[in-house]
Amino acid sequence: LKEINGREIAALINSETASAVSKLQSSGTRPTLGLVVPTDDEATAWYVRSIKRAAEKVGIACITDEMAGASRQEVVDALTRLSRDPSVHGVMCQTPMPDGISLQEAGLHIAVEKDVDGANPKSLGLLAAGLVSFAPATAEAVVEILQHEKKSLAGARVVVVGRSIVVGKPVALLLLARHATVTICHSRTEDLEEVCSQADILVVAVGKTAVIGAHHVKDGAVIIDVGTNPTADGKLVGDVDGEAVVARRSSDPSTGRRGPSHHIAATQARG
Ligand code: NAP
C-alpha cells in the first residue's frame, strides 16, 4: 500500500498560489475572499478559521460576515452584496444553512465568476457543458490528488461512488473532462462490488463507514476516500475499510504480489 501524501500536494499548491497572489498584488489587486457564515455551529467555526489561516498564508485577504440566526433574506442580501463588491473576488457560503434556504438556493445569489466553491448550480451546469467554471473545492481536491499520482487520466477506468452535487457529480464531470472513462454509482446501484472492482481509480463519497471493503478493490487501484464519518470516540474515519483492503492483498497469493499495491488517500482536510 502506498499512502498518498496530501500535505505535500497542498504545500506545492500553496506555493504556486502564493506566487500568483504576489503577482496580482504587485499589479495593484489584493485578492479577497468573502465568507458568509449564517450559523454558530462549532465545526463550521473551526472550518472558517482554517480557511482564513490558509488564505492569509498565501496572501489572500478574508472577510467574514458572521450572521448566525440570519433570515433567508439576510443571507441572500449578504451574498448579493459580496458578489457585487468589486474589492471581493471570491464568495463562499458556509453550512449548515438557516431554515428556509438551501445551499443551492443561496448559491444562486453568488456571482458565477466569484463562485470559488462551486455552490451556484449554474457553475455545475457550466462544468457539465465543458465550459470554464469553478467546481466545489473537495471535487477539485480529488482531481488535484489524482493528477499528482497519475500522469494521465485519459482512458483510465474511474468509478465514483456517490452522486451528490457537492462531491460525486462534480468529481465525475471533472474526470470526464480529463478523458477518463467514468462510472457513477449510488444507493440503487446493483452489484456495487462488481462495478467497483473494475476501477483503476475508485473515488468514494458516500458518508457510510466501510461501505467499500476488500472485494470492491482491484489490485493496483488508486482509492480516494472522501468520506468523513465521526466515530463514538470522537475521531473521523472514511468510507473505505482500509484495513480489510490491506489485509486481503497481503494474504492473497492470486495477486502475484507480496504486498498490496494500492494508492490510497483520504481527503479529510477539506479543499
Ligand atoms: P450525500 O449528499 O449524502 O451523498 C451520498 C451519496 O452516497 C448519494 O449519492 C447516495 O446515493 C450514495 N450512497 C448512499 N449509500 C450508498 C450505498 N450503500 N452504496 C452506494 N452509494 C450510496 O453526501 P456528500 O455530501 O456527497 O458527502 C459524502 C461524504 O463525503 C460524507 O462523509 C461527507 O462528510 C464527506 N465530505 C467530505 C468532504 C471532504 O473534504 N473530505 C467534503 C464534502 C463531503 P443516492 O443519491 O442514491 O441517495
Side-chain angles (χ1 to χ4, degrees), residues 104-121:
Q104 285 95 295
E105 193 199 340
L108 285 167
H109 300 276
I110 300 176
V112 165
E113 64 279 11
K114 297 187 182 182
D115 184 25
V116 289
D117 204 19
N120 189 332

Side-chain angles (χ1 to χ4, degrees), residues 138 162-164 166-167 186-187 205-208 211 226-228 267 270:
T138 305
R163 57 174 164 178
S164 75
V166 285
V167 193
H186 45 77
S187 65
V206 170
K208 287 183 184 162
V211 74
V226 181
T228 52
T267 65
R270 191 166 185 254

